Amino acid sequence: MKENQNYLIGPLLILSGTILLGIMHLSIATYMPNLSGWSSPPGKFVTVLNEIRGWFPYGLGLVQILIGTTMLLYYFEKSKQSK
């Protein structure tokens, strides 16, 4: 049951992380025209993330994708060894 759980939770984490990152990129693209001029070296992307306080959801989306991928790779490696 534990192996099947990894097979189900992994893609769910990848999907939810991808949706969260997509929504964050949409909100960044929507807010970007409100900036006046070019910002300092970090660039507009970092400036917008700071202004909309979007670092937590952006990082959470990346972490979800990484954990989901790790869970799937672990499941595939275990199933490969059991054969």
Side-chain angles (χ1 to χ4, degrees):
M1 182 64 184
K2 178 79 170 150
E3 291 178 10
N4 290 340
Q5 190 176 15
N6 286 347
Y7 183 69
L8 296 174
I9 294 176
L12 183 65
L13 283 172
I14 293 171
L15 178 66
S16 63
T18 303
I19 290 172
L20 184 57
L21 277 180
I23 291 171
M24 287 303 299
H25 279 272
L26 181 64
S27 65
I28 289 167
T30 303
Y31 188 80
M32 209 167 267
N34 295 332
L35 292 178
S36 58
W38 287 96
S39 58
S40 59
K44 282 191 172 187
F45 185 79
V46 174
T47 304
V48 170
L49 273 178
N50 285 335
E51 286 190 19
I52 65 172
R53 293 182 180 97
W55 284 107
F56 179 73
Y58 196 81
L60 182 65
L62 290 174
V63 167
Q64 284 179 338
I65 291 172
L66 290 174
I67 290 173
T69 305
T70 305
M71 290 177 80
L72 272 180
L73 290 175
Y74 178 75
Y75 170 77
F76 288 136
E77 187 65 32
K78 281 288 194 182
S79 65
K80 189 179 177 196
Q81 287 178 358
S82 66
K83 288 183 179 181

